[in-house]
Amino acid sequence: MAVSASVGAGAAYADHPPTVVPGLMPPGPPMGPPDDTEQNANTACASTQSGGDGPAVPDNQASLNLPAAWRFSQGEGQLVAVIDTGVAPNPRLPGLSGGGDYVSHSDGLSDCDGHGTAVAGLIAASRVPGQGFAGVAPLSRIVSIRQTSNFFSTKGSSQGKKPEDMPGYGTTYTLAWAIRRAADLGARVINISEAACKPSYEDMPDGPIGSALQYAVDEHDAVVVVAAGNKDHDCKDVANKTIDPLDPAADPWTKIDYNFSPARYDDYVLAVGSVDANGQPSKFSVPGPWVGVAAPGEHVTSLDVNYEQPGSKGTITGMGDTPSGKAGDPIMGTSFAAPYVAGVAALVRAKFPDLPARDVIKRIEATAHAPAEGWNPYIGYGTVDPVAALTAEVPDKLPPKHPLPARSLQLPVPANPPAPDNTARNVALIGTGAVALLLVLGYLGSFPIRRFLDSKN
């Protein structure tokens, strides 16, 4: 979900993690949107497609081997902030609380889009007998902060527009405000499944986000997990070819053509890319020098925001979370890869309660299934592994976010094999030949004896 985006193309230039400017962080309460907002004219809320109920474990969830991870941690005692479109109350989110609303005037427990409820379900949906689907950290608690919505906009701005042209609401400033709010509420993990994008030659108005992230991480020790971003909507022209075959040793930050925030605040966040069922990077997942790890992000099953409506089975496999979306659209995006990793962060924080936020991130990155080059801009240090994150020993330091350089190795020349030992064969052949010769000589020698005996007779 892009909260603030612009299209265009231009030459890439070096844009390392931006420096945090002090004093830009938004103030604390009161809550509420900074503008006069309303639900878009002539639009209903999100429609959903029921599915994924029953004992079968969804493929994405099965790939994480969660039952083995749950032997060590289920996220007990962890408060996870979901900064999103809101989270609707659901019996499978028993610890859900409202943290505020920067879109309208609710407590954060209203979700017209369905997006935030699906994200929360992937993190913390409780385990239910007979149901295969569950959240990664089913004993963690969710606090919802509504910060963006495709179904709301500033008052009067949606009049006369087609559904696909509805402006939506949410800015980089309200995102920064929500991050501060999550930190003040004591969230140990903060999930942000949204991204703002700008061409790299344009200024990104995200200074307040940087200040809020610094506040959350350095002053409140929160682990912040964010979506790497999708190639869609205003961000569809992004390339970010950070690995240049003609210049493989180049700094990846010099090769980007689009910036994504908050992902680009690499010193403070764990940015998550998406992989498909085969572990390959999803086509929509934005590469970048900020990507830390990856997780499944295609054909997702999660909680239904409309679970109380007739026909709902409580879980969904499709959703139309935009005014022009259809209920049967599969749930896909780095938005849904990020909460899998946020759930893993909650597991790790419960298992290692004294581990600082940056060390939690390092543990998740160090134990991921690494690509051959050690790190790449599509899946970072690799696909997340919950069991390894909870049990493995990790190095003191990770290699930098840069593919390992190509190396030329001289393979050892194999030694000549020893000459074959044919002694046994030779003895056998000689022996056989000698016996044959004696037989022939004996046979030939018998002729004169037979003639002599014949003459006597």
Side-chain angles (χ1 to χ4, degrees), residues 234-256:
D234 292 336
C235 309
K236 63 185 176 182
D237 296 326
V238 63
N240 280 5
K241 295 180 179 179
T242 55
I243 300 179
D244 185 350
L246 300 179
D247 189 13
D251 181 352
W253 286 88
T254 67
K255 302 297 181 180
I256 60 174

Side-chain angles (χ1 to χ4, degrees), residues 61-409:
Q61 180 179 322
S63 70
L64 300 176
N65 193 18
L66 292 180
W70 290 334
R71 293 166 49 205
F72 304 98
S73 172
Q74 294 191 52
E76 299 88 338
Q78 301 307 301
L79 182 65
V80 182
V82 172
I83 299 175
D84 212 284
T85 64
V87 178
N90 190 294
R92 296 191 66 179
L93 295 173
L96 175 66
S97 60
D101 189 342
Y102 296 98
V103 171
S104 186
H105 296 280
S106 77
D107 56 359
L109 300 182
S110 179
D111 184 11
C112 194
D113 303 64
H115 190 279
T117 302
V119 166
L122 294 176
I123 297 171
S126 60
R127 301 166 68 184
V128 174
Q131 288 284 326
F133 167 74
V136 175
L139 295 184
S140 64
R141 297 177 295 113
I142 299 293
V143 57
S144 170
I145 301 173
R146 182 158 71 163
Q147 183 273 324
T148 186
S149 175
N150 287 324
F151 291 84
F152 282 74
S153 57
T154 55
K155 193 169 184 178
S157 63
S158 65
Q159 294 293 332
K161 289 185 171 63
K162 297 179 181 179
E164 60 270 22
D165 297 328
M166 296 291 182
Y169 190 78
T171 67
T172 52
Y173 187 80
T174 59
L175 177 55
W177 208 352
I179 293 169
R180 171 173 182 160
R181 175 64 174 170
D184 287 341
L185 290 172
R188 298 274 285 162
V189 179
I190 300 173
N191 184 91
I192 305 174
S193 286
E194 53 190 81
C197 70
K198 282 277 192 181
S200 58
Y201 61 86
E202 293 186 13
D203 289 335
M204 174 77 79
D206 65 345
I209 289 178
S211 293
L213 288 172
Q214 184 183 60
Y215 176 75
V217 176
D218 290 343
E219 297 188 34
H220 288 267
D221 194 38
V223 175
V224 183
V225 180
V226 306
N230 302 332
K231 296 179 183 178
D232 60 6
H233 305 302
D234 292 336
C235 309
K236 63 185 176 182
D237 296 326
V238 63
N240 280 5
K241 295 180 179 179
T242 55
I243 300 179
D244 185 350
L246 300 179
D247 189 13
D251 181 352
W253 286 88
T254 67
K255 302 297 181 180
I256 60 174
D257 54 12
Y258 268 75
N259 272 311
F260 282 75
S261 185
R264 74 183 189 132
Y265 282 93
D266 192 37
D267 296 333
Y268 297 96
V269 305
L270 176 55
V272 183
S274 171
V275 294
D276 63 18
N278 297 315
Q280 297 298 309
S282 299
K283 293 181 179 179
F284 54 75
S285 189
V286 172
W290 43 72
V291 177
V293 293
E298 300 188 21
H299 302 285
V300 171
T301 297
S302 194
L303 296 182
D304 187 359
V305 69
N306 300 316
Y307 81 96
E308 291 184 313
Q309 293 186 1
S312 173
K313 298 180 180 180
T315 56
I316 55 171
T317 56
M319 177 171 59
D321 61 348
T322 65
S324 58
K326 298 179 181 178
D329 292 342
I331 304 174
M332 305 171 72
T334 58
S335 288
F336 303 103
Y340 282 120
V341 178
V344 175
L347 297 181
V348 172
R349 301 222 82 166
K351 176 79 182 317
F352 305 101
D354 297 326
L355 198 64
R358 284 188 173 86
D359 287 338
V360 172
I361 291 176
K362 184 178 76 172
R363 171 168 281 273
I364 293 172
E365 292 177 333
T367 56
H369 296 286
E373 59 269 50
W375 174 92
N376 70 44
Y378 295 90
I379 63 171
Y381 289 106
T383 305
V384 68
D385 184 338
V387 177
L390 292 169
T391 60
E393 294 186 7
V394 300
D396 292 332
K397 190 175 182 180
L398 285 173
K401 287 183 176 178
H402 196 293
L404 297 176
R407 293 184 297 166
S408 178
L409 298 177

